[in-house]
Structure formats: structure tokens, C-alpha cells
Amino acid sequence: MTKRILIVDDSASIRQVVSTTLQGAGYETIEACDGMDGLKKLDGSKINLIISDVNMPKMDGISFVKELKANPAYKFTPVIMLTTESQEDKKAQGKAAGAKAWVVKPFQPQQMLTAVEKLVM
Amino acid sequence: MTLPIEKATADLTPQQKQDVSEEANQYLTFRLRDEMYAIGILRTKEILEYRPITQVPMMPDFVHGVINLRGAVVPVIDLAMRFDGARTKIRKRSCIVIVEVEGNNGRQDISIIVDEVSEVVSIPAEEIEPSPSFGTRIRTDFIAGMGKLEGDFVIILAVDNVLSVDELSRLEGSGNDAHAKALPFEPKTQSPDDEDQPDSDTMHIETDSDTDQ
Amino acid sequence: MSMDAALITYVEECRELLEQMEGDLLALERGLDTSDDSTTETEDDNEIAWCELINRIFRSAHTVKGSAGVFGLDHIVEFTHEVETLLDQLREEKITLTSSLIATLLECKDHCLDLIECLADGVEEESNPQRAERLVNELQTFSPPAEKDNQSFAVSESNNNESPAIERLGNNGSGHWHISLRFHAEALREGMDPMSFLRYLQKLGQIVSVVTVSNEMPDNFEKFDPEACYLGFEIGFVSHESKQTIEDVFEFIRDDSQVRIIPPFAELESYLSLISELDQEPRRLGEILVECGSLTPEELEQALAIQSSKPQHALGEILINRGNTAPQVVEAAIAKQAQSTAGRSQNEDRAASKDGGTLRVEADRVDELINLIGELVISGASTAIHSQDSNNDALTESVSTLNELIEEVRDASMRLRMVEIGATFNRFQRVVRDVANELGKQVTLSITGADTELDKTVVEKIGDPLMHLVRNALDHGIESPAEREAKGKPLNGQLKLNAYHDSGSIVIEIIDDGAGLDAERIRAKAIEKGLIDSTYELNKEDIYKLIFAPGFSTADAVTNLSGRGVGMDVVRNNIVELGGRIDIDSEQGKGTKLTLHLPLTLAIIDGFLVGVEESPFVIPLDSIRECVELQQDDAVEKNGRQYMNLRNEVLPFVRLRELFGMKTERPIRENVVVVHYGNQKAGIVVDRLHGELQTVIKPLGQLFSQLQGIGGSSIMGNGEVALILDIPTLMQLVKDKQPHHVIH
């Protein structure tokens, strides 16, 4: 069964690259431009993994993950956070909120695929 | 009815197609008045039957007007008139040839009226002589070369010069250019120093503007 | 969808982000100015707004960098990293904001934009290394020195991970990796699927043995939490990958779960510490290891013997350390989060309304769609003609319904291309700032009507003319502070950009409170330049228009700003080419108002078809007031000027056939189309009136670029081309025929 992945990032180009990469590896992707939009896209349907940026307008990644984990339908859904090397504290916050996986920006598309495969194979 | 020119080259066999220079040596020949001319086949896009042309006012007379080519508006030039000043009479065999012209602002389609389209011929490079420096009926920079064809010469046109958009657009309309006085300060007009010259713009302004006060 | 497409998206995205960054930086700068000299009643509000601005600027830089990395654009990553680092320090309040810092950041933004534009041109390398280096050096002068140490520490820490595998001293022992996993209880709730790691491991090598360890499971069934994870694995694994790679498989769980990896042929010591570290009955674990094939029974005995002779405290310390550090970081982080969200929530509402569900589409595709719809409109019109000829009522009716739908589709597709003018206006914040600084003037730019929409193609073309007019207002309009003081004006000059819709066109105003135009000086100059004759009287409005004459310049000293190449005549021509016009209103000493009238769109118009001789012409419908028959008795023609009596109103008119030099005789009956533009009316006399049509504007092409009075062309239902009249130009012509207006 195809695994569905939600990509939440305010950068359209990042979404596009990640999406293209993951689709190339056989995943199905859904895109959202910020946390708020991400929650909207979660309509109760099965999502196998969520990739979320931290720093986004409207609703940042941390708050998004907190909301997500409060939703019984998605509390077991793994989340990969996109962090930067300068955001050690964000990483910790993200983990506290329930996002245990992360990929450090800037990343190569292949790195993202590797991280995804570790979680949903 | 249109006769797509691609036909002439599209029918080539694969072996022939290997020879890329083949196309470069091919020319469309046509008649204007009593003279035969040729244009490289790579520059001609289409031959149309003569059709009604929408005239555009205030342009030089040889700019005949515009036609609709599948949704694009293409200017029509009376080529013979550009050469000798006399308007071409439309006859049964008159055609419109769409030509691709390379200008400062990229490629553009311009069409020309010809009296009769003759044929597509091959003229090898060694059969083409440089344009004579004098003694031709048309401007020498309009001539790319003189092609030898069955013991006769055809004038191979330098289309980018003949149909130079830059040059054509700068030419003044020969008719009533009353519009010139509508805009006292046109970008294209002469600097103030030229005012004494009998330029058509200033002439009209002077004759038309009455002094009322 | 390819990566190339993503790159185009990236370029677009960066342009937007950098533009926003510039706006935000300028807003910060303004804030900096006002906080210096105003009382601080609203300091808290400002503080919040500031935080958000800095955050947003950081986010822009962050995204530019982050995406650049994805595309492997190292030069952009490198440069923006420096910018981001500094912005981060600014955000953390490790450094304070100064105007010189903003100036540097603005320059950095410019540099980034250059890099992006180079990228758009296919250049994937640093285009201006000198500037990059200078800017990076400048940036570093702002950052506190302590910061650099932290960074180098981070690097050395990461190197520690790559300790080489120690070979087992003895000959015996297994040649496979041994992986010991103990998932922590929360693993499932965190979305970690234990099986997923095993599956991924198989990508790297072969799992030779797995023993599931489940002794974490509570004995008492009531304590059992169905969502908790009680699993552990002991895995024998054959792989040629490095230790780092295998470790990285578990990077997302190793902080909380226990992951131990023992390389092939490792010393017995490694197994020993494994056994002692795991809070488990040693013998049982040992047996599992034997079961995995990682240890032979002999080795196990040997190891257990060593273990019993050693004190076991090392592990406890490690675990405590591990347990202690994380919560502290988390606490600190949460505290910070609470601060920053407080500031953010205010801006959320505003942002929410702005970028709701949007879809990014390439402009080319929209253009293609609009072109096709244009064709559809044309064939719709031709179908309508044929259906009417067929006398088939049912057909006529359904065709008319179809055409109504086509019109709706057309309108809807046109709206796709409508954009707000705000982005164009905001660009001038920077221009005004820079130019005012350069000229030593104080100018505040205020923007209104930023949400006024117009066609993207129009927006793209008014940038340059607007730029020139704004520069001109700054250069020649607004006076120096000293002059303003002498005149008793506020030192700070006001420049205002305003936009609004007015009957099918967009109106853009550029208003300054500067010196205004000096009609006498302009006139004198025009006479001196030979543009007008000294004997003619001109009204004020006409004198003002002289500034659009080629080569006309009122400034006594040509500055390096407006005096550069482009003249006002070019600006005016650009506007006219767009089918627009410029009006000038000025009061000496008080200021100048330039008003640009532009069409909302360049693509489709509602027109009215008329005929002269055999030629069809289209008049834009929104410029038409009414159509009447020309009553020869009411028409006065004298000295080449023509006007008629329209319900006791004097209406100047022009015969299209005369204007266009058509040689045939006038028909007995002629019609007048009364058109208006701005506040003026005029009559255009034609032979026939054909009625309304909707039509796609087709450019006439470069060949006709100098042609005045014709705005473009359109293709009618029968396939013929009709020329579209350029009413503003024609109006000008009619007006010129009026008595008071005489130009040499």
C-alpha cells in the first residue's frame, strides 16, 4: 500500500523538491504551507508520516506538532522536523512536543529520502 | 487554402535528411513584376492564397496592412512597391508568403505579396555569386547573392534587410500624417535644431495650425 | 514535475522573500528612527511588532538558505548562512539593531537577489565574490566574538562519533555487527514503528538473527499500557557499511531509546559493557547474545567472569547524565517559545487573510490559457453569426448560452492574472530611502490603495515609468531640508503613492509636497529649446505637458539621478504604449500631483465595432458615451477645426476618414461616436455603426510600434482583423484643434 506523507513547509521550492523526491521513491505526498494549513490537510485520512518545518508563519512547526499529538487520529504518526544547525533548542522543543525525527537543513533530497525510509519502510 | 512549405522538405527520405545542408541550399522562387527572386526555404514558413487585408492607416504605402494568421496578426508588405514604389495589382495568381525575419528584438513573422510563387529549387553554394556592387534595380544590401538557375540569375533576397522591422517602423507614413501634430513631442521626431528642414511632420504642423490668438 | 521546475519555483520564491525582507528591514529602520525621538507610550506594541519583523526577516533568509541547500547551491548557502547567523543573534538579542546594521543587511539582500537573478540566468556560482567577502566581513564586525567559539565546539563534538572500530583481540568471535535495541516506552506514541527500523536495516545489509526481548512488559496486566512500547531487539547483522551509517539508522530514537552497536570482531569488553549496561539479568542477556551468534558460549562465560570481578558504576553515571541534560534544555526552550508566540499571535490574523489557499502557477500557463480563451471568444462570436443565419431558434439560443458561459470563463481567467499593486509600491520604500539619503533630503513615503488589483502584464510594465516619476519627484520635487525650513514647511517631505479603480481603468497617483512646477520657467525653457514659439500663449496644463518633451529638463543642475539617460518623454511614451496617459496638476510651492490612468488589462476589451469605407475599427466600450447621427446642420467646420452642437454643448469632432487619409467620398449619412477620456469629450465620425463585441487585443507588433492613434488589433468572428482605436491619442488630437491650443 502506498504510504502517504504530508509535507509542511512555507517554502514552495522545498515542498516541491521533497515531494518530487518522495514521489520518485513511490510515496504519495500532500503539501501544506504552514502549520495551520497542515492541520487543515489532515482530514482524518491515513497519513503515514509528516515532514514539518519549524520556522513558519501563522503556526510554527512546534505548535503544529503539539496540535497533532493532541489528535487521537495522528498521535502515532511519526514527524520529521526540519531544523537548522543553529536551532538546537528548536530541536529539543520539537522533541518535547513529540517530533522525534529531524533532518538538518540544508539537506540533499537523498538525505530526506533516507530519513523517511528509516521511519516508514 | 494554405500550402505548408514544410512539405517540400518533409518528403525527404531519411538518407536525404542526413544531409543537413540540403535544406540550407533550398530556395523558394517567386515572381515580382518581371523579375525572379528567391528566399531561403528555412526562412519561409507558409504560402497563403491572397485574402482580404486590413489596411493600417498612417503607415508607408508599401505596408499593405495586416492579416489574421490563425490568431496571430501578421503585417503584409507589398514587396514590389518597396522596391519600385508602384502598388502591386492583385491578380489570380497573387500569393502571400509568410517569412520569418530576424531583428534586434528577436524573430518575427512578416508576410509579403508576390505576383506568383514559382517553385522550390536547390542552388548549391558554389552556384551563388556575391551581389554586384552596382547596376541592380534594388538596394544592394537587399541582395544576399545572385543564384545561377538554368542559365539565368535569380536574386536571392537578404530578408532581414529587406524586411528590417527596425527600418520599416521608422519610415514615415506618406499619406496624411495628421496624427503627428496630435502629439507635439513624439519620441521619434527630430531634435529641435532640425525644425527648418522640410520634414513632413513640421510641414503639416505649420500648415494645419492656424494662429488664432 | 522536475527539479528544474522546482528551481524556477525557488527563484520566484526568493524574489518574493527578498522583496519582503527589504520591506521589513525598511520598516525596522523607520521604527528605529521614530523610537529615537518619540515618547515611548506604545513601546510594548512596538516591541512585539519588532520581534515579528525580525523573525520574519530571519525566516526569509532561512528559507532562501534552506532551499538553496536542497538544490546544492553552495554559494548561496554560504552567503545566506552568514546573514542568517547574524539575524539569529539579533533575534536572540545578543546584538542590538543599528541603522548601519540595517544598511548592511539591505546590501546583503541586494547581493542575494543578484545571486538569485544570476541563477535565473543559469549562473550557479558567486557572481561578485568581492562584494560577498566584504559583506561577510561587515556582518562579522556586528556579531559578538563569543559566538564563534560555540560553533567550533559543535564541529569537534560531531567528530567524536567516528571512533574507529576496535578489533577483537582473540581470533574467535563473530564477524557480524551486534545491535542491541531497547525502545523506550513512548516510542509508539512518538510514531516510531519498531519494525520500520528492521526493514530499513535490511537495506544496509543482512539481518542474520533477531531475538525479541520483551521482559519490560509489566507482570501485572493492569499496569499494561496498550500504547506503550515494551519491545527490545538483539540483532545480529552483516553489513559493509560504516558504524556511523548503521548508527544513523537509529538517529531518531537513540536519544530516548537505548541503542548499542558492537562492530564485528569487537573486543569482549564491548559485550561485557553491553551486558552490564542493560538493566537485565546478565545471564539471560548473555544467552540471547549467544542465540544471536554474536558470542560463543565460551566467550559468554569468559565475559561473565570478568564482569563479576569489576565494580559497575560507569553506566549509571552515563544514564544519569543523559537523563539530566535533556529536561533542562527543554525547559529553557519552552520558556522561550512562550515569549515568542505572544508576539506572534497578533500578526496571525492579518497573515491569515492574506495567504490562504494559494496555488502557484507559471505565468506562461495562464497566458496560454487566456490566449486560448481569446480564440474561444472569437470562434464563439463566429458561431453566433452562423447560428443566427441558420434561423434555427434552438441552436441560436444554445449558442447564446454557450457564449455567455465563455464570457464568464474569460472573466474568471482574467482574474487569475490580477495582482495587487502593493508589491510594486512597496519596492519604492527602498528607492525613496536610498535616493533621499543620496540627496540629503528627508522624505517619508506613504502608500494607499495597495490592494488595488490590475493585470500582471500591466504591473510589469509600469515599474520603470513609476520608478522614474518617483525619482523625479524626489530629485526635482521635494526640496532640501534647508529650503523647506526657509519656506516654513515641515523638514520631512511627503511623497504619496495612491491607487484606485475608476471606470475600467486603474489610476495611480504620485503626489509630493515639494516645490511644484514653475510654469513660467518651463515655458521659458521650452522657448529657449525651440519647442514652442514665444508668441503663443499656453494654458498652465499645456505648459506642464512640455516637461514630457524630448530632451526637456527643468533642473538647472543635472544630478546623477534623474539626469541619467531616460527622459520624461520616454516615461510618457511608455505609459501611452500601455494605452494610458499622464495628467499633471501642480501648485507652485505646494507640490505636484501626477496622475496615471492605465487600462486594467492589456488582453481583452469590450469594444464597439464601427466601419469607415471597408475598414472595421474597434472603439473601447468604456470610453464611449453615446452614438448619434451627424446632423450636417449642427456641424461647424472652420479653419480645419471641427465641432458640432450636441444638445447645446460644443463637441469637437474628427472624421476618421480624414484623419486616416482615406480618399473616397463621404457617405451621405455619417455617425458620431461620442467618446470621453478623463474629463473631456469628443466626437469620432465614422461611416457605420456595427455594435458591441468582446475582443482579444492582439498586439500589432514592432513594425507598427511608432503608429499613433491605433492601440492594437483584434480578430473578428469572420476572421478579419479590426484595428482598435487609441482613444486617448485621438482625444488629444481633437483637443489640439481647439482654438486656445496652438503649438508651433
Side-chain angles (χ1 to χ4, degrees), chain C residues 134-337:
Chain C
R134 178 175 59 79
L135 287 171
V136 168
N137 287 338
E138 264 177 50
L139 284 175
Q140 277 163 358
T141 58
F142 291 106
S143 68
E147 208 55 30
K148 284 159 197 155
D149 293 343
N150 280 348
Q151 281 168 357
S152 60
F153 175 69
V155 171
S156 65
E157 188 181 46
S158 69
N159 282 343
N160 281 344
N161 286 336
E162 300 200 25
S163 51
I166 307 158
E167 274 188 36
R168 197 188 294 223
L169 292 172
N171 276 338
N172 47 1
S174 80
H176 63 229
W177 297 81
H178 184 84
I179 301 166
S180 170
L181 293 177
R182 292 293 178 278
F183 291 98
H184 76 133
E186 295 303 305
L188 291 175
R189 275 193 278 265
E190 285 162 2
M192 300 300 162
D193 176 2
M195 278 311 287
S196 174
F197 293 99
L198 294 191
R199 283 191 218 112
Y200 189 81
L201 264 186
Q202 280 176 304
K203 276 190 75 162
L204 303 179
Q206 197 193 352
I207 296 176
V208 291
S209 53
V210 187
V211 175
T212 307
V213 183
S214 57
N215 47 356
E216 293 287 330
M217 194 94 83
D219 301 334
N220 185 343
F221 192 67
E222 275 166 22
K223 283 187 195 158
F224 181 80
D225 176 357
E227 292 182 357
C229 185
Y230 301 109
L231 280 178
F233 296 121
E234 294 295 331
I235 305 162
F237 183 57
V238 176
S239 171
H240 298 294
E241 298 291 340
S242 69
K243 182 167 187 214
Q244 182 71 51
T245 309
I246 296 173
E247 262 178 12
D248 280 350
V249 172
F250 306 101
E251 64 171 322
F252 301 141
I253 54 165
R254 70 178 162 213
D255 284 5
D256 301 308
S257 302
Q258 298 177 33
V259 180
R260 286 176 191 76
I261 299 168
I262 298 171
F265 308 110
E267 282 183 74
L268 264 187
E269 188 84 7
S270 317
Y271 285 96
L272 191 62
S273 54
L274 171 69
I275 292 168
S276 58
E277 274 169 32
L278 289 172
D279 188 20
Q280 226 163 18
E281 205 262 304
R283 173 132 321 251
R284 172 72 192 117
L285 183 62
E287 281 162 11
I288 291 172
L289 292 176
V290 174
E291 208 177 315
C292 286
S294 302
L295 283 184
T296 60
E298 296 77 33
E299 282 170 334
L300 173 64
E301 289 309 320
Q302 211 180 330
L304 288 175
I306 298 170
Q307 191 205 13
S308 56
S309 68
K310 269 191 174 179
Q312 6 174 316
H313 52 77
L315 169 70
E317 280 175 340
I318 294 166
L319 281 178
I320 288 162
N321 284 342
R322 193 182 282 167
N324 279 347
T325 45
Q328 279 173 352
V329 176
V330 172
E331 249 171 63
I334 289 171
K336 239 177 220 160
Q337 163 79 355

Side-chain angles (χ1 to χ4, degrees), chain A residues 3 9-21 23 31 33-34 36-37 40 48 53 55-60 62-63 66 69 74-80 82-93 95-96 98-103 105-110 113-121, chain C residues 1-3 5-7 9-11 13 17 55 58-59 62-63 65-72 74 77 81 84 88 91-92 184 188-193 195-197 199-200 203 227 245 248-256 326 329-330 332-334 336-337 340-341 344 348 351-353 355-358 360:
Chain A
K3 304 275 191 341
D9 197 314
D10 55 331
S11 158
S13 62
I14 292 228
R15 290 200 304 271
Q16 211 169 334
V17 168
V18 172
S19 222
T20 311
T21 309
Q23 282 168 5
E31 296 179 25
C33 61
D34 57 58
M36 206 73 92
D37 191 26
K40 258 188 256 165
N48 298 81
D53 192 16
N55 218 324
M56 291 182 292
K58 281 207 257 186
M59 183 190 276
D60 68 7
I62 310 285
S63 316
K66 281 184 185 159
K69 291 290 164 187
Y74 299 106
K75 69 175 171 185
F76 294 120
T77 308
V79 181
I80 296 181
L82 301 175
T83 63
T84 40
E85 60 271 43
S86 60
Q87 287 179 309
E88 278 300 323
D89 57 329
K90 288 281 176 197
K91 196 153 116 185
Q93 284 174 36
K95 288 169 99 172
K100 296 293 156 155
W102 65 91
V103 169
K105 276 197 205 174
F107 55 85
Q108 296 289 310
Q110 190 54 41
L113 183 60
T114 306
V116 168
E117 286 180 335
K118 282 174 194 167
L119 294 170
V120 279
M121 257 309 257
Chain C
M1 191 164 64
S2 71
M3 286 298 169
L7 199 60
T9 309
Y10 174 65
V11 168
E13 176 177 277
L17 286 169
N55 251 327
F58 173 83
R59 238 178 2 239
H62 177 69
T63 305
K65 174 185 139 182
S67 307
V70 173
F71 291 106
D74 294 340
V77 175
H81 176 73
E84 189 196 17
D88 197 35
R91 217 163 52 136
E92 307 279 317
H184 76 133
L188 291 175
R189 275 193 278 265
E190 285 162 2
M192 300 300 162
D193 176 2
M195 278 311 287
S196 174
F197 293 99
R199 283 191 218 112
Y200 189 81
K203 276 190 75 162
E227 292 182 357
T245 309
D248 280 350
V249 172
F250 306 101
E251 64 171 322
F252 301 141
I253 54 165
R254 70 178 162 213
D255 284 5
D256 301 308
V329 176
V330 172
I334 289 171
K336 239 177 220 160
Q337 163 79 355
S340 62
T341 43
R344 194 170 296 137
E348 267 172 15
S353 62
D355 46 59
T358 54
R360 201 178 280 265

